[in-house]
Amino acid sequence: MESNFSKVIDSYEVKTLLHSFYSLMGIKCLIKYREKTFYKHPEFRPLTDFGFKKYDENIVKQIKENRKYGIFKSKTGLMYFGVPIYIDNNTVAIMFTSPILYQKLNLKYLSGEISDFKAHQNDIVDVVKHIPCFSKEVIAKIIEYFCNISYIINKNIRTYSKYSELLESKKRLESNYNTMVKMAYYDELTGLGNCNYLKTEMKKSIESYPERSFILFHVELSNFKNVNDILGYKYGDRLLQKIGNTIRKLYSNDIVSRNYGNEFLILKKLENHKINLHTEAKYLLHSLCDVWDLDDIEVPISVSIGMTVYPKDGKDATVMMRNADIALNKAKSNGKNSYIMFENYMYDEILIKSEMEKELRKAIKNEEFELYYQPQVEVCNNKVVGFEALIRWNSSKLGWVMPGEFISLAEETGIITSIGEWVFEKACFQIMQWKNKGYDYDFISINVSPVQIRKNGFVDMIKRVIKKTGVDTNLIELEITESVVMESLERSCGVIDELKRMGIRIALDDFGSGYSSLNYLKSLPINTIKIDKTFIDGICKYSYENIIVDSIINLAHIMKLDVVAEGVESEEQFISLREKRCNKIQGYYFGKPMPCKEAEKMLEFTSLR
Ligand code: C2E
Ligand code: CA
Ligand code: CA
């Protein structure tokens, strides 16, 4: 039987089938027969194209449970399949695919799965970016196609010499193949090509005319989700069709595709070198940022555009797609209705960020964090009455990294939840230590990130740590920013109320830097406001800031709130704040954030006075 099997696998037909499948879909195959690799696509590389025993075994298990195929799906978005090959009803071989991506790569989980890949993260990211990506519907077709190939091979084995029987199944395979290809390259909704189509066209263009320059636009409709949420999918679909049509008309000689959901890609040849790319971008922006009429409902739409130029920015299709995506994300962070041209530093930034994320995930375990303490001084008597705890990171790989550089990354990646818990616990232990030594101070302020508060379980974490450390809650003040409160007044008030019932004080941090309205302060159960440094910087001149700070302090006092001025750097500022009857100041003028030993010396000194 083995020789039959080998003949079938080696047959011109099966090989052609698997090869053409690869050239169109970019998926390679591997056939494992009795623990041995029996057939392998010439470019199948074991490390990056999988073939991990652990996952393969799981696929085999699924097939043994009487399924037509087995599937491995990772959180990152990678997946691959296996289909059985039988002899006399026994599964003797499995045909595996190389990995494909389910819709979009979720880099967030990559480092978690990295140990399975046994390779360096950046190498993996590079490889992963070459992996073909398909929608759910296309993946279903691919599976169907694969099951059909296995069916053909199985039939082939049984009726090796009777070719007539194969004809019918071959026909079925062909039609299956055609639908699959159509689905893999076209977007049904808009009639445009999809991202695979554009990528293939770009590859062809680069291969055939490597000298020919082109620009790739990545367009995203910014407020599209609102259309779907408020008006429903019917309107969302109509809008995408209308916009798709408009882009197609604007770029009738170029290649246009719809990417995922609300994204479009345009590949425009740059035959005329005098084309001004900024004018091009503005033209596209103004054509799409408009009020769109959908059956008498007017929908305002804004867009962000990322742009990248071949061959200046990248030499292959995958890199070009990546660059356009990076530029788009930059444009998005600049606010609505903007476009950005890709520049190399943007990619470097992403590499640095991904390196930092990797290190950040290990930082707690490796004990790389430390809490520094910055004194808060009572203005009327110059006495240190407390400290703000500020985190410091001494990374074994990156050296000292300031919170301004890593807190937002920790927030984006969710790592802030564990960092926040570490900070709170560490500070509570310190509070207890200082209390046990008999030092005299009011309380320690601890920063809390908006991401922590938004997550369920925040109050439980606070309770757990209080119990564990036995800390006296009167000695804790939590600093929250106004953005948290503004986003969801009701929920934040609930959380704040609960914390206050436990005896914890609440300060509103960075007051003045955001939406700040003294009006909403009335409805907030807080104790302290901390005036942002940007206001303090300007108080010594006859300025807008001077008047504002004066009225903030007055109003806060009427509302019986404590006022702390942040970032006080000079005697002049200190005097001005004293005249304004500000309660406390914090800043380099009295002391920078310092390690706990130094803070302790300061406490020792003030407690003696
Ligand atoms: P923040 O809460 O507004 O903290 C005050 C920042 O201003 C600190 O920066 C402090 O070192 C700095 N600062 C204080 N006085 C002066 C001054 O006179 N002049 C100048 N130029 N700067 C002054 P740092 O420690 O780099 O922290 C930056 C931000 O990172 C903090 O702003 C806070 O938002 C965040 N952060 C720090 N530690 C933590 C933490 O443990 N948890 C959370 N969630 N965020 C933290
Ligand atoms: Ca703070
Ligand atoms: Ca602040």
Side-chain angles (χ1 to χ4, degrees):
M1 204 38 115
E2 186 163 337
S3 73
N4 253 1
F5 180 60
S6 103
K7 276 182 204 148
V8 172
I9 299 305
D10 216 37
S11 79
Y12 177 73
E13 279 196 312
V14 170
K15 271 191 167 171
T16 317
L17 215 60
L18 297 178
H19 263 278
S20 60
F21 182 60
Y22 167 67
S23 26
L24 246 131
M25 316 298 286
I27 303 175
K28 303 161 211 165
C29 300
L30 172 110
I31 299 181
K32 276 196 182 171
Y33 179 85
R34 294 190 177 147
E35 301 287 314
K36 285 188 301 211
T37 299
F38 199 85
Y39 164 87
K40 193 164 77 180
H41 185 278
E43 282 173 39
F44 202 105
R45 284 168 299 162
L47 175 69
T48 48
D49 286 334
F50 283 40
F52 293 119
K53 223 172 163 202
K54 155 165 130 193
Y55 303 137
D56 288 357
E57 275 165 6
N58 188 277
I59 287 182
V60 174
K61 197 171 143 232
Q62 294 175 44
I63 291 172
K64 282 200 176 135
E65 281 160 10
N66 241 345
R67 292 187 40 190
K68 276 184 15 200
Y69 61 90
I71 185 164
F72 163 73
K73 197 167 164 186
S74 83
K75 273 189 185 164
T76 311
L78 287 168
M79 52 162 63
Y80 72 112
F81 322 100
V83 289
I85 295 171
Y86 315 103
I87 297 179
D88 298 334
N89 281 339
N90 292 323
T91 309
V92 288
I94 306 276
M95 180 162 73
F96 293 102
T97 66
S98 59
I100 61 175
L101 267 174
Y102 168 68
Q103 295 206 334
K104 232 176 174 179
L105 179 65
N106 197 341
L107 280 175
K108 206 165 81 184
Y109 295 107
L110 193 59
S111 51
E113 288 175 1
I114 213 82
S115 54
D116 288 338
F117 292 103
K118 295 194 187 73
H120 188 267
Q121 170 152 355
N122 289 346
D123 297 340
I124 288 289
V125 170
D126 266 2
V127 171
V128 163
K129 294 231 158 110
H130 284 86
I131 288 177
C133 175
F134 301 103
S135 69
K136 205 162 106 189
E137 292 78 19
V138 174
I139 289 173
K141 278 282 157 200
I142 291 175
I143 297 178
E144 196 185 316
Y145 182 76
F146 248 78
C147 293
N148 280 339
I149 297 187
S150 89
Y151 174 80
I152 287 223
I153 295 178
N154 290 329
K155 248 196 150 162
N156 236 325
I157 293 173
R158 271 188 278 134
T159 60
Y160 185 57
S161 45
K162 289 192 242 158
Y163 277 109
S164 60
E165 268 194 42
L166 283 176
L167 233 55
E168 197 194 321
S169 41
K170 253 181 76 185
K171 260 192 213 147
R172 206 177 48 195
L173 193 64
E174 250 166 43
S175 102
N176 183 212
Y177 192 69
N178 289 339
T179 1
M180 181 176 70
V181 169
K182 194 161 173 249
M183 284 177 74
Y185 286 90
Y186 289 92
D187 172 43
E188 226 174 308
L189 181 69
T190 57
L192 296 170
N194 65 13
C195 133
N196 290 333
Y197 162 74
L198 185 126
K199 200 167 165 184
T200 313
E201 290 299 311
M202 185 160 36
K203 274 185 187 159
K204 279 192 211 157
S205 160
I206 293 174
E207 269 163 33
S208 321
Y209 310 100
E211 307 293 324
R212 190 155 76 188
S213 180
F214 62 78
I215 180 160
L216 177 66
F217 295 94
H218 195 160
V219 181
E220 188 178 305
L221 315 180
S222 317
N223 35 2
F224 179 71
K225 196 175 170 293
N226 289 348
V227 181
N228 269 342
D229 289 352
I230 298 166
L231 300 174
Y233 285 103
K234 201 177 115 204
Y235 283 88
D237 285 355
R238 289 265 301 126
L239 182 68
L240 288 172
Q241 284 167 337
K242 272 200 152 184
I243 291 183
N245 245 330
T246 305
I247 302 181
R248 187 183 3 221
K249 280 187 194 139
L250 290 175
Y251 294 90
S252 53
N253 293 325
D254 303 300
I255 292 160
V256 178
S257 75
R258 179 162 82 108
N259 205 3
Y260 308 97
N262 58 340
E263 296 177 23
F264 293 88
L265 290 165
I266 305 159
L267 192 152
K268 182 181 167 63
K269 288 184 228 94
L270 294 177
E271 271 149 340
N272 178 354
H273 287 282
K274 292 212 180 78
I275 287 181
N276 181 323
L277 299 179
H278 291 279
T279 315
E280 274 290 321
K282 281 181 195 152
Y283 169 67
L284 178 58
L285 203 65
H286 291 142
S287 312
L288 302 180
C289 297
D290 205 346
V291 177
W292 294 78
D293 185 11
L294 297 178
D295 304 331
D296 292 334
I297 297 181
E298 296 199 322
V299 183
I301 283 292
S302 50
V303 302
S304 306
I305 304 175
M307 299 148 76
T308 182
V309 174
Y310 172 89
K312 178 176 84 59
D313 299 334
K315 303 276 183 279
D316 75 57
T318 311
V319 172
M320 292 297 289
M321 302 278 270
R322 180 199 73 194
N323 292 351
D325 194 33
I326 293 174
L328 172 68
N329 282 326
K330 269 266 174 216
K332 275 168 32 184
S333 62
N334 277 4
K336 288 172 186 169
N337 289 343
S338 61
Y339 67 88
I340 294 273
M341 296 276 219
F342 173 81
E343 285 178 58
N344 281 324
Y345 83 86
M346 297 174 187
Y347 183 54
D348 296 342
E349 267 179 13
I350 289 180
L351 289 184
I352 293 170
K353 225 171 142 179
S354 108
E355 179 74 11
M356 193 182 274
E357 182 185 340
K358 204 173 82 193
E359 295 307 311
L360 201 52
R361 287 193 188 276
K362 298 184 287 192
I364 293 184
K365 201 166 131 256
N366 293 351
E367 300 183 4
E368 294 176 350
F369 289 129
E370 191 180 340
L371 279 189
Y372 271 39
Y373 296 86
Q374 185 176 31
Q376 293 184 340
V377 175
E378 200 144 74
V379 174
C380 60
N381 57 11
N382 286 0
K383 191 178 169 228
V384 175
V385 285
F387 292 90
E388 175 176 2
L390 292 157
I391 193 165
R392 294 293 176 265
W393 179 23
N394 189 3
S395 156
S396 57
K397 275 260 175 67
L398 309 169
W400 285 96
V401 191
M402 291 300 281
E405 295 170 71
F406 72 85
I407 291 288
S408 60
L409 178 66
E411 289 176 335
E412 269 169 46
T413 50
I415 311 173
I416 195 71
T417 314
S418 41
I419 295 182
E421 181 163 352
W422 180 89
V423 167
F424 187 63
E425 188 173 320
K426 186 86 184 164
C428 286
F429 271 120
Q430 195 58 61
I431 291 173
M432 283 316 282
Q433 236 179 40
W434 283 341
K435 188 186 150 129
N436 292 340
K437 289 187 179 176
Y439 298 136
D440 171 31
Y441 64 95
D442 294 347
F443 46 81
I444 302 290
S445 305
I446 305 166
N447 289 287
V448 175
S449 153
V451 178
Q452 283 175 273
I453 300 189
R454 263 183 240 128
K455 266 191 132 175
N456 288 334
F458 171 68
V459 176
D460 291 340
M461 179 278 281
I462 298 284
K463 284 182 183 159
R464 195 168 59 240
V465 174
I466 289 173
K467 200 166 164 205
K468 181 171 171 185
T469 55
V471 70
D472 182 348
T473 49
N474 297 323
L475 300 174
I476 306 173
E477 180 168 83
L478 291 183
E479 294 195 3
I480 61 173
T481 53
E482 51 188 4
S483 61
V484 176
V485 187
M486 289 307 290
E487 260 173 33
S488 155
L489 196 60
E490 219 170 289
R491 185 181 141 72
S492 336
C493 284
V495 172
I496 295 174
D497 272 336
E498 208 170 341
L499 294 169
K500 288 200 72 175
R501 274 199 298 274
M502 289 150 69
I504 295 174
R505 294 172 54 95
I506 305 291
L508 200 60
D509 203 358
D510 305 338
F511 187 80
S513 65
Y515 312 85
S516 43
S517 136
L518 281 164
N519 194 33
Y520 78 78
L521 279 188
K522 278 190 298 202
S523 45
L524 275 181
I526 56 168
N527 307 85
T528 307
I529 57 172
K530 297 190 76 175
I531 306 177
D532 197 63
K533 179 173 183 301
T534 48
F535 284 92
I536 306 305
D537 287 344
I539 55 167
C540 292
K541 295 165 251 157
Y542 182 75
S543 61
Y544 159 81
E545 283 88 355
N546 195 12
I547 301 167
I548 293 273
V549 170
D550 213 19
S551 44
I552 293 177
I553 296 176
N554 278 325
L555 276 168
H557 285 164
I558 293 172
M559 290 190 244
K560 306 218 167 3
L561 298 174
D562 251 6
V563 186
V564 180
E566 281 194 298
V568 180
E569 292 179 342
S570 68
E571 186 173 9
E572 236 185 327
Q573 289 171 338
F574 172 65
I575 293 170
S576 165
L577 287 160
R578 192 172 56 195
E579 280 165 5
K580 292 180 173 54
R581 295 194 310 113
C582 179
N583 306 80
K584 290 181 204 168
I585 67 150
Q586 186 185 334
Y588 294 176
Y589 176 63
F590 264 102
K592 289 193 171 179
M594 55 190 87
C596 76
K597 286 258 151 26
E598 277 175 46
E600 192 168 323
K601 272 188 205 138
M602 214 172 218
L603 272 180
E604 216 168 302
F605 180 73
T606 44
S607 302
L608 285 175
R609 282 208 307 184

